[in-house]
């Protein structure tokens, strides 16, 4: 099962009031395991950056009014592509996979606004899986923000001083696995398999019969009691097969 954990950063809250997407980050899961494939793109919103939005994600100091010089590590947006320039790559990456999003209505609203302005097909809402709704159902009355869920599940989000689409997607992937039942054994086993395969020889390993069979660990009395029990069940007992 292919899933895409996705997050966006924007200039505000309402695309139909002029707000635009400025960053998209997404990571691919296959069978709930990260494959290593990611999508990450900064986008020129063709508008100024509100100070409130800049305070949340720190993207686009060159779009503030008046513009600011970027600090080391800050992303400017004037030289980034427009959404129309990256739309096809984005759509190709997500395909028809389930989109795992925290507060899915917000991100889907912006993505569909951007796609609609380009006369492209919209993303169906049932393609999105909302982890915020899952958290609220599972822990009613408790805080359900991404930071709160990280605290609940002891997930390290110390590097999340500001919102960032790709970092938030990586954190959300861990939160999502916990919400659907905890980190599955195959998560660790898959990573271990990749490591052994890279070292070579792992695919050739097969369990072999023991040279000396293990000695029985049941007593004669236990064996006799079991035989008597099976006899009472008649000829249809599975132990007689």
């Amino acid at each position: 099962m292919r899933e895409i954990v996705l997050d966006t950063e924007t200039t505000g809250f309402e695309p139909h009031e002029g707000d635009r997407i400025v960053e998209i980050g997404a990571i691919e899961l296959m069978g709930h395991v990260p494959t290593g494939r990611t999508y990450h793109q900064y986008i020129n919103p063709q508008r100024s950056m509100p100070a409130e939005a800049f305070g949340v994600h720190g993207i686009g100091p060159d779009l503030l009014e008046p513009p600011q010089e970027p600090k080391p590590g800050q992303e400017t947006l004037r030289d980034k592509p427009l959404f129309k320039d990256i739309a096809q790559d984005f759509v190709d990456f997500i395909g028809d996979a389930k989109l795992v999003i925290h507060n899915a209505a917000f991100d889907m609203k912006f993505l569909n606004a951007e796609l609609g302005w380009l006369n492209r097909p919209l993303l169906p809402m049932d393609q999105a899986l909302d982890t915020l709704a899952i958290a609220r159902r599972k822990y009613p009355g408790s805080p359900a923000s991404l930071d709160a869920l990280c605290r609940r599940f002891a997930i390290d989000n110390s590097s999340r001083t500001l919102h960032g689409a790709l970092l938030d997607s990586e954190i959300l992937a861990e939160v999502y696995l916990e919400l659907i039942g905890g980190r599955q054994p195959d998560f660790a086993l898959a990573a271990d398999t990749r490591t052994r395969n890279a070292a070579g020889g792992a695919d050739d390993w097969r369990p072999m019969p023991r040279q000396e069979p293990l000695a029985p660990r049941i007593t004669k009395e236990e064996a006799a009691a079991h035989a008597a029990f099976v006899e009472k069940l008649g000829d249809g007992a599975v132990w007689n097969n």
Side-chain angles (χ1 to χ4, degrees):
M1 179 176 61
R2 183 172 185 263
E3 298 167 302
I4 301 295
V5 184
L6 183 146
D7 184 56
T8 65
E9 299 297 339
T10 69
T11 64
F13 298 103
E14 292 298 334
H16 294 294
E17 294 180 6
D19 288 315
R20 305 293 297 273
I21 294 176
V22 297
E23 185 187 13
I24 302 174
I27 68 172
E28 181 185 64
L29 305 181
M30 194 67 74
H32 303 323
V33 178
T35 65
R37 288 191 66 207
T38 64
Y39 177 90
H40 184 229
Q41 182 65 61
Y42 290 105
I43 300 165
N44 185 339
Q46 297 180 285
R47 56 153 293 167
S48 62
M49 179 65 69
E52 294 82 1
F54 179 76
V56 171
H57 50 59
I59 301 169
D62 55 333
L63 298 185
L64 289 168
E65 295 181 356
Q68 294 183 8
E69 285 296 318
K71 298 177 182 178
Q74 275 188 327
E75 286 294 337
T76 59
L77 295 175
R78 290 187 189 276
D79 61 343
K80 299 300 187 288
L82 308 182
F83 188 88
K84 68 181 182 67
D85 300 320
I86 61 92
Q88 188 61 55
D89 285 344
F90 170 69
V91 169
D92 289 344
F93 180 81
I94 63 173
D96 59 357
K98 182 67 74 175
L99 304 178
V100 180
I101 307 173
H102 203 66
N103 193 10
F106 178 87
D107 299 80
M108 293 292 281
K109 172 177 66 176
F110 270 91
L111 290 169
N112 279 333
E114 296 279 5
L115 292 169
W117 291 328
L118 299 176
N119 294 316
R120 284 178 165 269
L122 305 186
L123 302 173
M125 279 303 297
D126 61 5
Q127 188 174 347
L129 180 67
D130 189 357
T131 51
L132 177 61
I134 295 173
R136 285 175 172 170
R137 287 195 302 268
K138 193 167 185 178
Y139 308 109
S142 298
S145 69
L146 195 55
D147 285 336
L149 292 171
C150 285
R151 290 192 295 272
R152 173 180 288 276
F153 298 131
I155 293 171
D156 181 15
N157 66 340
S158 57
S159 57
R160 189 179 187 254
T161 55
L162 291 171
H163 288 237
L166 189 58
L167 174 61
D168 283 2
S169 295
E170 293 170 349
I171 293 173
L172 179 57
E174 293 190 62
V175 168
Y176 171 56
L177 294 178
E178 294 289 355
L179 284 173
I180 61 175
R183 294 181 177 86
Q184 301 298 317
D186 62 349
F187 187 91
L189 290 174
D192 181 62
T193 300
R194 287 194 298 270
T195 302
R196 289 189 289 113
N197 286 347
D203 289 336
D204 297 330
W205 184 87
R206 295 290 186 276
M208 302 295 291
R210 291 180 178 272
Q211 293 182 352
E212 296 182 7
L214 292 176
R217 301 192 63 181
I218 61 172
T219 65
K220 292 181 180 180
E221 292 78 9
E222 290 170 335
H226 178 69
F229 170 74
V230 172
E231 187 176 356
K232 291 180 181 179
L233 297 178
D235 295 337
V238 295
W239 288 278
N240 290 326
N241 296 333

